[in-house]
C-alpha cells in the first residue's frame, strides 16, 4: 500500500474521506475510508461478492459498474451484498489509471447505522447525516404530539356538537337537533327511495297555570317529567326534541300506521295526564298532538312539514284539547 | 405552539409531583385566563405550581430543564448536538436553529458561546427579563453534564451562564447510539 495519489498519502485520504474507495484499474484495493471499512471489512479480498452494480439494466459486476460510471461521468450506485443498502457516489480517475470513489449512504442511512453500528465519529463533519437523524427523530416526536392534539380536538368537537343539539333542561334534543334530523329524514335514501316517517308536534295543555300557581320550579320539574315520558314512549331510532317552552316534537322514522299512531298518542296523553301535580287546583295537565305522516302532498321542506304538524296541533286544540289529530 | 409547552409543563408536574397537583392547578381560575404572548413561552402553569409548592419559579424552571434531559426522546435530540460535553456546550449556539427546524414558532433566544479559562460561558442575547430560558437552560446543562458523565460547576449572572468543567470523564455517561429509539415524546 505504498501508493500515493497525486495529492496526498493514503492515510490522509482515509482521514479526510471516511467513505472513499481507491482502486487500481484491475479492481484491487489501494485504500478504503474507515467508515466504509467498518461496513465492509474484507474489501482487501476483492469487490466481487461484497459490492455489485445496483443500477437496473446495468451489469452487476462491480468493476464494470464503477468504470462505466466514472468514465461516463454518471452517478454510481453500488449494492452492499446481503443487505438492502445501496451506496451512492461518484468517482474520478487519478494517478496511473486508478479510480478514486467518494460514496455516501443516501436514504439508506438507517440501515448502514444498524448494520455497522456507526457513530457520530464515522461521519465527515461536512456530511449531513447527523442533522438528518436529528430532524427525523425530532419530527417523529412532534408529529406524535400533534396527532394526540388532533384526537383531543376531535373529541371536544364531538362533545360540543352533542351539547349544541341538546336541551339542557330535559336532556332531549333541541330545535337545532330537530332541524338536522328532519332535513336528513326528508332526503331519499342512498338507493333513491323515499323513507316515510311520522312527525308529532305536541304541546302541553294548562301548563301556564302550573308555572303561575306553583312556581317556575314546579314548571321545570313538569317539563323534565314530560321529557322522560317521551323518551320512554319512543323507539331507539326515533328522535324526541323540545323546541321551546312547552312544545315538543317527535320524529318517528318508518311510522305510517294510523292505528299505531293513535295508540301512541293515547299512551302519551295518559302518561302526561298522570303528571298533574296533586296540589294543582282546577284543570289537569294534558297534551294536544298534531301528527303528519310523510310523504304528504306539497311538503318537501322541513318548514312545510312543521307547518302542517302545527295546523294539526291547532285542530286538536280547537276541538277540545287532550287529543291527537293525524293528517 | 403554547399547547406543546403547556403539555410539557403538565407532564413535568405530573411525573415530579403527581396527578393530584395537576388536577388541582387545572381547576384554578387562572388556568382558564389564557392570555398569552406568542413571543414568549408561557410558563404560567409552572409559576402557579411554584406558588402552591412554595418554590421560586427559577427553581421550578431549573428542575424542569433537568427533567427534560431525562425524557429519552428529548435526551437523544440533545445528544445529537455534541459528541462530548464540551462539544455540546460549544455548539449550544445551534440550539435555537435546531429547535426552530422542528418548531418554527417556538420563541428561543439567540445564544452566544465563549470559551473561558476552565470552561464555557453561554450568553443569552436580547435577554427578556421575564424570559424563562436562562433557568431552563441551567437545568438542561446540568442534566446533560450528568448524561455525558462530566463534573462541572455552573454559575449564573444576569445574562449569562458560566460552566466550569472540572472533569469531562468524571463518571460513566449514559449510553447513546445513533440507532434510533422507538420511545415517543412525552412517555416517561
Amino acid at each position: 500500500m505504498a501508493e500515493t495519489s497525486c495529492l496526498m498519502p493514503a492515510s490522509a485520504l482515509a482521514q479526510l474521506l471516511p467513505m472513499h474507495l481507491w482502486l487500481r484499474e484491475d479492481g484491487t484495493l489501494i485504500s478504503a475510508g474507515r467508515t466504509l471499512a467498518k461496513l465492509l471489512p474484507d474489501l482487501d479480498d476483492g469487490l466481487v461478492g461484497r459490492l455489485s452494480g445496483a443500477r437496473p439494466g446495468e451489469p452487476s459486476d462491480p468493476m464494470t459498474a464503477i468504470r462505466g460510471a466514472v468514465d461516463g461521468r454518471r452517478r454510481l450506485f453500488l449494492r452492499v451484498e446481503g443487505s438492502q443498502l445501496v451506496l451512492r457516489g461518484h468517482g474520478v480517475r487519478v494517478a496511473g489509471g486508478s479510480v478514486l470513489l467518494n460514496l455516501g449512504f443516501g436514504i439508506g442511512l438507517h440501515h448502514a447505522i444498524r448494520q455497522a453500528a456507526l457513530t457520530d465519529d464515522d461521519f465527515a463533519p461536512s456530511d449531513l447525516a447527523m442533522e438528518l437523524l436529528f430532524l427525523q427523530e425530532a419530527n417523529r416526536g412532534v408529529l406524535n404530539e400533534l396527532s394526540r392534539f388532533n384526537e383531543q380536538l376531535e373529541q371536544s368537537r364531538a362533545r360540543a356538537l352533542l351539547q349544541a343539539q341538546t336541551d339542557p333542561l330535559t336532556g332531549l334534543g333541541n330545535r337545532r337537533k330537530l332541524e338536522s334530523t328532519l332535513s336528513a329524514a326528508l332526503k331519499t335514501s342512498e338507493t333513491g327511495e323515499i323513507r316515510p316517517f311520522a312527525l308529532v308536534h305536541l304541546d302541553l295543555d294548562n301548563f301556564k297555570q302550573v308555572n303561575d300557581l306553583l312556581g317556575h320550579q314546579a314548571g321545570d320539574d313538569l317539563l323534565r317529567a314530560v321529557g322522560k315520558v317521551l323518551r320512554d314512549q319512543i323507539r331507539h331510532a326515533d328522535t324526541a326534541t323540545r323546541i321551546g317552552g312547552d312544545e315538543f316534537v317527535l320524529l318517528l322514522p318508518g311510522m305510517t300506521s294510523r292505528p299505531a299512531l293513535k295508540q301512541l298518542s293515547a299512551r302519551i296523553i295518559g302518561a302526561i295526564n298522570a303528571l298533574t301535580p296533586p296540589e294543582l287546583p282546577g284543570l289537569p295537565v294534558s297534551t294536544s298532538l298534531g301528527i303528519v305522516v310523510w310523504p304528504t302532498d306539497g311538503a318537501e321542506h322541513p318548514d312545510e312539514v312543521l307547518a302542517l304538524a302545527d295546523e294539526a296541533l291547532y285542530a286538536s286544540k280547537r276541538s277540545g284539547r287532550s287529543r291527537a289529530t293525524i293528517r | 405552539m403554547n399547547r406543546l409547552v403547556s403539555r410539557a409543563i403538565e407532564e413535568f408536574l405530573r411525573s415530579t409531583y403527581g396527578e393530584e397537583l395537576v388536577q388541582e392547578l387545572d381547576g384554578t381560575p387562572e388556568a382558564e385566563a389564557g392570555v398569552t404572548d406568542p413571543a414568549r413561552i408561557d410558563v404560567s402553569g409552572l409559576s402557579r405550581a411554584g406558588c402552591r409548592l412554595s418554590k421560586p419559579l427559577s427553581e421550578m424552571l431549573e428542575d424542569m430543564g433537568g427533567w427534560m434531559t431525562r425524557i429519552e426522546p428529548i435526551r437523544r435530540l440533545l445528544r445529537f448536538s455534541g459528541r462530548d460535553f464540551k462539544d455540546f456546550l460549544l455548539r449550544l449556539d445551534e440550539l435555537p436553529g435546531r429547535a426552530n427546524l422542528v418548531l418554527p414558532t417556538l420563541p428561543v433566544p439567540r445564544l452566544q458561546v465563549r470559551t473561558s479559562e476552565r470552561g464555557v460561558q453561554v450568553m443569552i442575547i436580547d435577554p427578556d427579563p421575564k424570559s424563562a430560558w436562562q433557568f431552563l437552560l441551567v437545568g438542561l446543562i446540568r442534566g446533560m453534564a450528568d448524561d455525558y458523565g462530566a463534573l462541572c460547576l455552573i454559575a449564573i449572572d444576569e445574562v449569562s451562564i458560566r460552566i466550569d468543567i472540572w472533569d469531562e470523564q468524571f463518571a460513566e455517561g449514559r449510553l447513546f447510539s445513533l440507532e434510533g429509539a422507538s420511545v415517543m415524546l412525552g412517555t416517561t
Side-chain angles (χ1 to χ4, degrees):
Chain A
M1 277 222 199
E3 259 125 320
T4 304
S5 76
C6 43
L7 283 174
M8 60 183 115
S11 58
L13 197 62
Q15 218 172 344
L16 184 66
L17 300 174
M19 284 293 290
H20 85 272
L21 194 57
W22 187 16
L23 304 162
R24 292 183 196 89
E25 171 59 26
D26 64 2
T28 52
L29 187 75
I30 301 170
S31 75
R34 56 188 157 77
T35 305
L36 197 63
K38 225 170 155 179
L39 190 69
L40 292 162
D42 307 321
L43 278 177
D44 266 334
D45 302 339
L47 301 189
V48 177
R50 295 179 181 86
L51 289 170
S52 63
R55 261 264 153 103
E58 287 186 7
S60 67
D61 172 63
M63 245 357 250
T64 316
I66 289 169
R67 284 191 206 101
V70 169
D71 297 331
R73 300 192 174 188
R74 290 193 306 268
R75 289 191 171 192
L76 171 64
F77 296 88
L78 290 173
R79 178 177 306 281
V80 176
E81 291 287 355
S83 80
Q84 315 178 38
L85 193 59
V86 174
L87 305 174
R88 61 175 196 194
H90 59 174
V92 288
R93 293 269 179 190
V94 288
S98 62
V99 178
L100 179 62
L101 306 174
N102 194 18
L103 300 168
F105 295 117
I107 209 70
L109 180 63
H110 285 93
H111 296 301
I113 287 170
R114 199 168 315 132
Q115 203 172 323
L118 301 181
T119 70
D120 187 9
D121 292 327
D122 293 319
F123 297 101
S126 57
D127 194 329
L128 288 173
M130 294 298 288
E131 282 71 18
L132 183 71
L133 292 172
F134 170 84
L135 198 56
Q136 196 228 6
E137 285 198 22
N139 261 330
R140 190 168 54 189
V142 170
L143 267 181
N144 199 45
E145 283 302 286
L146 288 185
S147 63
R148 236 184 85 98
F149 287 160
N150 252 338
E151 260 165 48
Q152 283 174 357
L153 273 182
E154 191 47 47
Q155 281 170 13
S156 324
R157 201 189 70 88
R159 254 201 315 276
L161 192 67
L162 185 67
Q163 250 168 38
Q165 299 200 336
T166 305
D167 166 40
L169 181 66
T170 59
L172 302 180
N174 60 13
R175 182 178 281 276
R176 218 177 276 129
K177 170 76 175 171
L178 174 66
E179 278 164 6
S180 65
T181 322
L182 183 53
S183 302
L186 286 168
K187 291 195 181 107
T188 53
S189 72
E190 278 167 24
T191 51
E193 286 163 49
I194 285 175
R195 293 170 300 172
F197 61 83
L199 185 100
V200 183
H201 188 181
L202 55 117
D203 80 359
L204 302 183
D205 299 324
N206 308 318
F207 175 66
K208 192 171 176 295
Q209 54 169 347
V210 177
N211 262 341
D212 290 351
L213 300 174
L214 304 179
H216 285 281
Q217 183 60 49
D220 284 354
D221 288 347
L222 180 63
L223 290 173
R224 261 192 291 269
V226 170
K228 184 173 184 318
V229 164
L230 296 180
R231 248 198 311 272
D232 290 347
Q233 290 297 334
I234 60 173
R235 301 160 303 174
H236 190 68
D238 299 338
T239 305
T241 58
R242 182 169 81 106
I243 61 171
D246 58 337
E247 278 186 85
F248 296 82
V249 174
L250 308 178
L251 191 102
L252 316 168
M255 175 70 97
T256 53
S257 152
R258 282 165 188 265
L261 283 167
K262 275 187 187 143
Q263 280 173 20
L264 175 70
S265 305
R267 282 202 306 273
I268 290 176
I269 292 169
I272 289 180
N273 248 314
L275 296 176
T276 306
E279 62 275 31
L280 185 73
L283 294 166
V285 174
S286 183
T287 182
S288 300
L289 299 86
I291 304 175
V292 181
V293 177
W294 194 85
T296 180
D297 285 344
E300 282 164 15
H301 193 267
D303 290 347
E304 293 165 347
V305 181
L306 284 170
L308 286 178
D310 205 41
E311 271 173 36
L313 171 62
Y314 275 88
S316 296
K317 294 244 174 209
R318 272 196 307 274
S319 53
R321 302 186 166 180
S322 204
R323 67 193 62 207
T325 306
I326 307 178
R327 54 159 300 163
Chain B
M1 182 74 276
N2 266 314
R3 279 192 77 180
L4 270 179
V5 175
S6 9
R7 189 166 124 68
I9 291 175
E10 195 184 301
E11 282 299 318
F12 160 64
L13 293 175
R14 180 170 291 125
S15 68
T16 315
Y17 301 103
E19 181 66 35
E20 212 172 301
L21 180 79
V22 174
Q23 294 299 331
E24 196 181 314
L25 293 172
D26 233 19
T28 58
E30 297 93 316
E32 308 288 320
V35 185
T36 53
D37 174 357
R40 196 181 282 161
I41 56 168
D42 175 23
V43 292
S44 54
L46 267 192
S47 28
R48 281 198 305 279
C51 281
R52 169 71 186 62
L53 300 160
S54 318
K55 264 184 150 182
L57 179 60
S58 56
E59 217 170 291
M60 296 296 290
L61 284 163
E62 261 197 64
D63 287 354
M64 179 158 165
W67 169 81
M68 284 170 71
T69 65
R70 294 191 296 275
I71 302 299
E72 183 63 8
I74 299 178
R75 176 187 92 94
R76 285 187 59 81
L77 292 182
L78 290 166
R79 283 291 288 254
F80 270 116
S81 329
R83 60 181 66 193
D84 53 46
F85 185 54
K86 184 84 179 280
D87 190 36
F88 170 79
L89 291 176
L90 291 175
R91 289 168 64 187
L92 264 181
D93 58 349
E94 292 176 10
L95 186 78
R98 284 178 180 273
N100 290 145
L101 201 59
V102 207
L103 301 169
T105 56
L106 183 72
V108 190
R110 283 185 300 142
L111 302 174
Q112 201 177 63
V113 179
R114 287 185 200 157
T115 49
S116 64
E117 210 177 313
R118 277 215 71 101
V120 170
Q121 192 175 17
V122 181
M123 318 277 296
I124 299 169
I125 315 284
D126 2 288
D128 179 336
K130 286 186 182 166
S131 164
W133 281 99
Q134 192 185 25
F135 295 105
L136 200 66
L137 271 175
V138 169
L140 215 71
I141 291 170
R142 189 164 285 144
M144 288 314 284
D146 278 351
D147 205 80
Y148 282 106
L151 179 67
C152 66
L153 195 70
I154 301 175
I156 54 174
D157 60 40
E158 266 168 39
V159 292
S160 80
I161 304 167
R162 214 183 66 222
I163 304 108
D164 291 335
I165 303 172
W166 295 96
D167 188 350
E168 270 228 80
Q169 302 295 317
F170 174 71
E172 192 155 329
R174 287 180 62 193
L175 225 65
F176 176 69
S177 78
L178 292 187
E179 197 180 327
S182 55
V183 201
M184 291 298 181
L185 198 77
T187 46
T188 48

